[in-house]
Amino acid sequence: MRKAVAAPQISGISNPTKQQVRAGVTQAWMERLRPYLYVAPALTFFFLFFLFPIAYVIYLSFFDWTLLNLEEMDWVGFENYSALLAESDFHQVLWNSLVYTVSTVVLGILLSFLLALWLNKKAKVYGVIQAAVFSPHIISLVSVAMLWMWLMDPQYGLLNALLEMVGLPGYTWLAETKSAMISLILVSIWKGVGYNTLVFIAGMQSIPRDIYEAADLDQSPWWRTLTRITIPMLSPTLFFLLVINTVSSFQVFDTIYVMTQGGPINSTNMLVFYIYEQGMDFYNGGAASAASVILLGLVGILTFLHFRVMGKRVHYQ
Amino acid sequence: MARVELNQITKGFQNQTVVKGVNLVIPDGSFTVLVGPSGCGKSTTLRMIAGLESVTSGEIQIGDQVVNQLPPGKRDVAMVFQNYALYPTMNVYDNIAYGLRNRGTSKKDCKILVEEIAEIVGLTPYLKRKPSQLSGGQRQRVALARAMVKKPKVFLMDEPLSNLDAKLRNQMRVELTSLHKQLGSTFIYVTHDQVEAMTMGDQIVVMSEGNIMQVAAPMDLYQEPENLFVAQFIGSPAMNIIPSENDSQTLWGFRPEKALIMSDAVTTVSTNEMITLRGSIVSREILGADSLYYVETGKGRVVVKMDTDQTVELQTSVQVCVPYSHIYEFDRDSGNRVQRREGKPAPTLAGGMV
């Protein structure tokens, strides 16, 4: 094909024949098509496994249907949504998700940041501690949940044994409505802190050392170095962690499933677990789909807000 | 303003000593350049004066005060870093004002001082910009302004021009020298570039492997090198070194511009007045006004610098003549200068060249 087009250009005298014109048109088309062909496999994958399920769950959320009988699907419009939003259990679920997300994200990131400040040093011992802090990240969440259930057992658990050793009364942990949420937050922070710390340390190490030396020569007190130099320089890292931690906190499921099953009295029921309950326990496909769409919307809005509000303050080199 | 004194300064990293007992007096108001090849300890020395590096042993004095135990901020020094080390998240104004604020200068005074300095270094239109929006030369000026605004006793500069392009570097060289005259403060300047050292310094400290090889004014360093290292480090191209004629313990050196190339046909001039090396020209580099000739002689390859107008063909057999008065003699083992050969004054060689 290339030859067919190249020929008239080289000769440059005779007008191109019809055949040559047609070949030229085909080639122009091919050139235009080529990039799409290159991305086609990835696009197919993306449509099939990302866009289509999203569209389909939105579609499903407008029907009243049950997993027990997939043949009968009645169009109900926004009824699934209005029912959900009217239900006090669902309000509780939303509230729980919010409390859980805000607590784990804020406390988790704060703790990781402090740990990173402490561990960002050269001596070997810090490397060992860093590895220890990171280790929960590579353990499966189900194992983590089992481990903490054992630790938090009110009678035989290690935590209460420790509390008693120092003369404090035992704690109810997972057994009571107030403490169960705190326990889940604790586990989530414990599991995530290692990864966050690692990312923070990587961010801190990418700050050139001579900037700190310049600050030393400028008589910068440590807290001002922290707030005027370290934190602004870490803003991309902070932003990244904020987004992924928020999204993953909203999606918490494993620990709830293993440790509390949403209880006691719905006190630790959160969005993903609620969706699972509606779909898999009560076979209520419509409610589950509608709740999924709400989750999608919430995470989307939060991410958007992060980008809008935080994004402007983030400093990229 | 202050003089800086180093007494028996050493610096060791793990099992390596990078600065080996340096004694140095940097006079008040001088422009002192520390120069040497990479790894000679010049930057480490500067960083020890700044307080960014601890001193393994010895004493550093700035003014009348021993500063070994003082943190960098309390030494009344300012430093310009090779990569500028500007605060990337602050704009130019805040970069310059940061040190002042930390000292407790009021906002009002800060503004006056920063604007004054910005005017001097020509940064006034850029005060609201972030460093990333500035060119290399402008960043360099911010770094300078940040140092100047503190009115320190001593300015420390660690290869501040090495990230600039050649043209800007020449310009900044001149600006820095005039800045030094204007401020009258002590400047300590580290570079590996002998041209920077020669053109800017009024005192040059040549370092090698953690030792000071010589401290002298630029022309003294060039004309009276105390050892082989200085002789070969200062001057471009480097001094030619050949074995001496009658003493195996010594080496002779002569500068490329002090040698003459003569046709082989010319009868040798009196050997009492100059040494003669026979050889042939192997290559030539034209630098513009001058050309460098590489001559393979019986005593090794030597370089001769000549006016480009006087061309000599390659492969020609020639003799390289050097008046004894331009020969430097060094001890082969220690590398120290033995004496300057006092031959008879060289005769004028009008028309002696090919």
Side-chain angles (χ1 to χ4, degrees):
Chain A
M1 256 189 292
R2 263 178 194 282
K3 257 191 177 165
V5 177
Q9 284 174 344
I10 290 168
S11 64
I13 310 161
S14 61
N15 286 327
T17 64
K18 258 189 183 178
Q19 230 174 349
Q20 283 169 327
V21 169
R22 202 176 303 143
V25 170
T26 329
Q27 163 143 31
W29 257 100
M30 277 307 290
E31 284 300 325
R32 216 177 283 173
L33 201 62
R34 196 201 296 261
Y36 295 99
L37 286 176
Y38 288 146
V39 294
L43 268 184
T44 315
F45 187 83
F46 182 69
F47 272 106
L48 229 76
F49 295 102
F50 292 91
L51 282 189
F52 172 70
I54 291 175
Y56 193 58
V57 79
I58 294 174
Y59 169 77
L60 284 177
S61 71
F62 295 123
F63 290 88
D64 182 20
W65 59 284
T66 159
L67 279 167
L68 293 176
N69 184 359
L70 289 171
E71 316 241 305
E72 259 181 58
M73 288 176 68
D74 300 322
W75 172 267
V76 292
F78 285 94
E79 232 168 70
N80 283 327
Y81 293 95
S82 51
L84 268 182
L85 294 174
E87 199 187 328
S88 68
D89 270 3
F90 190 67
H91 296 163
Q92 170 96 48
V93 164
L94 284 179
W95 176 247
N96 287 346
S97 294
L98 190 74
V99 170
Y100 177 85
T101 302
V102 171
S103 317
T104 45
V105 171
V106 172
L107 295 176
I109 286 185
L110 194 69
L111 183 65
S112 313
F113 180 72
L114 294 176
L115 270 172
L117 277 181
W118 178 50
L119 294 175
N120 184 22
K121 289 170 195 139
K122 274 200 178 136
K124 262 190 191 144
V125 61
Y126 296 107
V128 174
I129 300 170
Q130 205 179 312
V133 171
F134 185 70
S135 60
H137 180 70
I138 54 172
I139 307 172
S140 117
L141 202 50
V142 175
S143 316
V144 168
M146 301 289 286
L147 174 78
W148 277 90
M149 272 177 84
W150 175 71
L151 287 173
M152 288 171 167
D153 188 290
Q155 273 164 355
Y156 316 106
L158 190 65
L159 292 183
N160 274 0
L162 286 173
L163 285 177
E164 270 163 40
M165 252 172 68
V166 293
L168 289 169
Y171 194 60
T172 48
W173 302 112
L174 297 166
E176 262 182 50
T177 50
K178 274 183 193 163
S179 56
M181 177 61 94
I182 296 171
S183 306
L184 281 185
I185 291 167
L186 187 74
V187 173
S188 164
I189 291 175
W190 180 81
K191 163 94 174 146
V193 83
Y195 177 76
N196 292 345
T197 305
L198 197 76
V199 175
F200 269 132
I201 289 178
M204 286 172 183
Q205 283 175 354
S206 70
I207 303 175
R209 221 181 60 161
D210 55 6
I211 292 179
Y212 287 113
E213 292 176 346
D216 274 350
L217 281 157
D218 270 346
Q219 271 179 286
S220 179
W222 69 266
W223 49 269
R224 196 173 284 165
T225 306
L226 185 72
T227 54
R228 295 292 309 272
I229 297 169
T230 307
I231 293 177
M233 293 287 286
L234 278 179
S235 56
T237 311
L238 192 66
F239 182 59
F240 166 74
L241 287 178
L242 208 57
V243 171
I244 63 156
N245 275 290
T246 309
V247 172
S248 72
S249 290
F250 254 101
Q251 293 171 342
V252 59
F253 174 79
D254 314 44
T255 43
I256 303 176
Y257 184 79
V258 176
M259 296 173 79
T260 67
Q261 290 281 323
I265 334 172
N266 224 19
S267 62
T268 57
N269 198 352
M270 288 173 244
L271 266 169
V272 177
F273 188 75
Y274 181 82
I275 294 165
Y276 167 82
E277 242 185 352
Q278 289 298 321
M280 299 299 160
D281 289 348
F282 312 144
Y283 305 112
N284 189 348
S289 308
S292 303
V293 175
I294 290 173
L295 172 65
L296 176 74
L298 280 177
V299 172
I301 290 168
L302 270 174
T303 311
F304 177 75
L305 281 181
H306 276 329
F307 272 89
R308 279 303 289 269
V309 180
M310 284 288 297
K312 281 186 190 155
R313 299 172 147 264
V314 171
H315 164 82
Y316 293 102
Q317 279 282 52
Chain B
M1 285 198 262
R3 76 181 214 147
V4 177
E5 206 175 320
L6 309 183
N7 292 320
Q8 279 300 316
I9 292 296
T10 62
K11 177 67 187 178
F13 290 110
Q14 276 125 26
N15 45 18
Q16 201 185 354
T17 312
V18 288
V19 176
K20 300 165 183 165
V22 160
N23 286 308
L24 180 64
V25 175
I26 294 161
D28 183 10
S30 73
F31 197 129
T32 297
V33 180
L34 306 183
V35 66
S38 33
C40 71
K42 56 191 191 298
S43 277
T44 310
T45 306
L46 189 81
R47 291 168 58 81
M48 285 193 286
I49 299 172
L52 298 173
E53 219 65 81
S54 65
V55 176
T56 307
S57 71
E59 202 178 73
I60 297 178
Q61 222 173 313
I62 299 177
D64 304 322
Q65 199 180 10
V66 175
V67 295
N68 284 34
Q69 301 306 322
L70 281 185
K74 300 272 185 202
R75 295 189 179 195
D76 207 357
V77 298
M79 186 154 167
V80 178
F81 293 81
Q82 183 174 2
N83 299 313
Y84 319 131
L86 303 178
Y87 310 121
T89 55
M90 299 182 204
N91 63 24
V92 172
Y93 181 95
D94 289 332
N95 259 287
I96 301 173
Y98 192 66
L100 293 176
R101 294 225 181 106
N102 291 329
R103 286 179 177 187
T105 313
S106 74
K107 267 201 168 164
K108 213 175 117 194
D109 293 344
C110 259
K111 193 167 183 306
I112 297 168
L113 284 167
V114 172
E115 280 170 0
E116 186 186 297
I117 296 287
E119 198 58 49
I120 295 174
V121 295
L123 281 172
T124 311
Y126 307 108
L127 283 175
K128 290 275 166 268
R129 292 213 194 159
K130 291 272 175 73
S132 57
Q133 297 166 299
L134 299 176
S135 69
Q138 289 165 339
R139 286 182 210 187
Q140 178 66 66
R141 280 163 212 272
V142 180
L144 265 177
R146 186 171 67 178
M148 283 161 64
V149 80
K150 294 190 283 184
K151 303 206 163 68
K153 284 185 198 152
V154 182
F155 280 89
L156 307 173
M157 306 199 179
D158 190 1
E159 311 220 10
L161 305 186
S162 58
N163 282 357
L164 301 178
D165 63 58
K167 197 177 162 198
L168 201 53
R169 192 154 53 215
N170 288 348
Q171 188 190 330
M172 286 303 288
R173 229 159 52 195
V174 178
E175 284 185 31
L176 276 180
T177 334
S178 65
L179 187 71
H180 171 247
K181 290 216 175 76
Q182 205 180 322
L183 297 174
S185 315
T186 313
F187 275 42
I188 308 176
Y189 188 103
V190 161
T191 181
H192 63 266
D193 181 352
Q194 51 143 323
V195 179
E196 269 177 33
M198 294 292 279
T199 52
M200 299 172 80
D202 46 38
Q203 169 176 279
I204 298 179
V205 181
V206 183
M207 291 185 72
S208 168
E209 292 175 3
N211 295 307
I212 290 182
M213 303 311 287
Q214 189 171 354
V215 182
M219 272 331 275
D220 293 343
L221 209 58
Y222 180 76
Q223 284 169 340
E224 301 297 336
E226 279 172 8
N227 47 56
L228 259 178
F229 181 84
V230 175
Q232 290 196 287
F233 190 77
I234 300 291
S236 173
M239 184 183 275
N240 292 300
I241 302 294
I242 54 170
S244 70
E245 256 163 21
N246 34 30
D247 185 358
S248 65
Q249 261 312 296
T250 59
L251 295 169
W252 280 354
F254 63 91
R255 298 232 174 250
E257 58 272 30
K258 299 296 184 197
L260 302 166
I261 290 181
M262 298 174 129
S263 159
D264 213 12
V266 177
T267 330
T268 317
V269 200
S270 156
T271 46
N272 287 334
E273 281 154 8
M274 51 178 66
I275 61 162
T276 309
L277 305 165
R278 288 176 188 284
S280 72
I281 296 177
V282 286
S283 73
R284 180 178 70 188
E285 285 174 2
I286 300 174
L287 305 177
D290 298 314
S291 294
L292 302 180
Y293 288 92
Y294 293 82
V295 186
E296 195 69 59
T297 72
K299 295 200 167 194
R301 182 174 291 195
V302 298
V303 187
V304 180
K305 191 176 189 178
M306 291 207 325
D307 203 308
T308 298
D309 295 343
Q310 301 161 322
T311 41
V312 187
E313 292 303 315
L314 291 184
Q315 307 305 334
T316 328
S317 289
V318 292
Q319 25 186 346
V320 175
C321 301
V322 190
Y324 275 122
S325 57
H326 291 306
I327 295 281
Y328 299 86
E329 195 166 6
F330 300 98
D331 186 83
R332 190 186 278 270
D333 299 326
S334 68
N336 287 333
R337 177 93 173 271
V338 178
Q339 60 173 80
R340 191 168 181 149
R341 273 270 159 166
E342 294 297 341
K344 289 171 195 163
T348 35
L349 290 162
M353 284 173 228
V354 180

